[in-house]
Amino acid sequence: MKFFLDTANLDEIRQAKDYGLIDGVTTNPSLFARESEDWRTLAEKICRETPGPVSLEVIGQSAGEMIAEANELVKIGPNVVVKIPMTLEGLKAVNELTAQAIDTNVTLVFHPLQALLAAKAGATFVSPFVGRLDALAQDGMEVVGQIVAIFKNYDFRTQVLVASVRHPMHVLEAALLGAEVATIPFAVVKELSRHPLTDKGLEIFMKDWEKVKK
Ligand code: E4P
């Protein structure tokens, strides 16, 4: 299972790299809005720092605008994946970008049928937003399970990238369902390592070590 970091923060990317827990990065306009550096310089740095795909999102709404933007975004780094919104115009853009051998990540996916359309258009990744679905009392992970099943039924090569992750259970369920990727906020990545019994056990071992004859 690949772990992408859901961030535009360089410090988080560097820390996750030190832990060996980063296979890629996803960004979006809201994540860039949290950073002080201008987005293009930052995007270049993120691409250099990340040992894998970096999703950068288009802003245009028409297929023509998205395709033109995508062709600019891929100049930022060799590992850029162009993030395209799940709209009919977006599908048109994905279809053309696939023909141009440009990798895409179809974002803002909330229903398995949207994922099916994205896969048919040739998307490299499809991003179901589980946290935002859960917030509306819909089961985000059920949607992921259905997408995984559909892609398996038809041998689609599109990878399921679980997005809008809020807590460790989302990561566990994504792994159990066989999603290829989860994009995870850095705070949640750190939470994955923690267990109170690990802390307690370590404390006991350290105390007992003091009693060992040396
Ligand atoms: C990643 O590609 C998505 O843009 C991100 O996971 C959305 O997460 P949010 O619901 O926390 O904004």
Side-chain angles (χ1 to χ4, degrees):
M1 184 187 192
K2 282 174 269 186
F3 276 18
F4 289 1
L5 212 60
D6 201 16
T7 190
N9 184 282
L10 270 179
D11 185 49
E12 291 184 350
I13 291 167
R14 288 179 183 134
Q15 286 187 62
K17 231 167 111 176
D18 288 344
Y19 297 129
L21 290 175
I22 182 170
D23 302 303
V25 162
T26 53
T27 66
N28 61 35
S30 310
L31 292 169
F32 274 113
R34 289 182 204 163
E35 306 301 320
S36 49
E37 208 164 354
D38 85 274
W39 79 269
R40 200 190 157 97
T41 313
L42 185 53
E44 284 168 4
K45 289 182 185 169
I46 291 171
C47 286
R48 275 200 299 276
E49 202 70 48
T50 304
V54 174
S55 289
L56 299 176
E57 192 157 339
V58 296
I59 303 305
Q61 305 286 302
S62 72
E65 287 168 329
M66 291 186 223
I67 293 163
E69 242 181 281
N71 277 281
E72 290 306 310
L73 288 175
V74 293
K75 292 177 188 160
I76 292 177
N79 46 350
V80 168
V81 172
V82 181
K83 228 174 169 190
I84 304 277
M86 177 57 231
T87 59
L88 278 175
E89 285 297 297
L91 289 177
K92 205 194 277 187
V94 171
N95 192 39
E96 170 58 24
L97 293 170
T98 304
Q100 293 181 20
I102 291 178
D103 286 339
T104 53
N105 172 1
V106 174
T107 189
L108 292 166
V109 166
F110 294 96
H111 195 282
L113 290 173
Q114 293 180 311
L116 174 58
L117 298 188
K120 284 181 69 64
T124 316
F125 299 100
V126 65
S127 290
F129 278 33
V130 294
R132 294 194 198 184
L133 278 167
D134 288 357
L136 289 187
Q138 295 180 33
D139 189 344
M141 294 315 303
E142 188 184 1
V143 170
V144 171
Q146 290 172 344
I147 296 170
V148 169
I150 292 168
F151 285 6
K152 200 170 166 202
N153 285 346
Y154 298 102
D155 284 332
F156 280 116
R157 288 166 60 195
T158 302
Q159 297 182 48
V160 181
L161 194 169
V162 176
S164 188
V165 164
R166 297 279 182 265
H167 48 68
M169 283 307 288
H170 279 150
V171 182
L172 175 63
E173 289 176 55
L176 290 171
L177 288 168
E180 284 87 355
V181 193
T183 187
I184 315 171
F186 188 51
V188 177
V189 171
K190 286 190 285 185
E191 279 173 42
L192 299 179
S193 72
R194 294 191 188 119
H195 195 287
L197 290 179
T198 304
D199 296 343
K200 183 80 191 151
L202 188 58
E203 194 186 313
I204 292 167
F205 284 153
M206 291 304 101
K207 273 197 183 131
D208 286 345
W209 180 247
E210 285 166 22
K211 299 176 206 156
V212 171
K213 289 184 183 56
K214 296 166 205 113

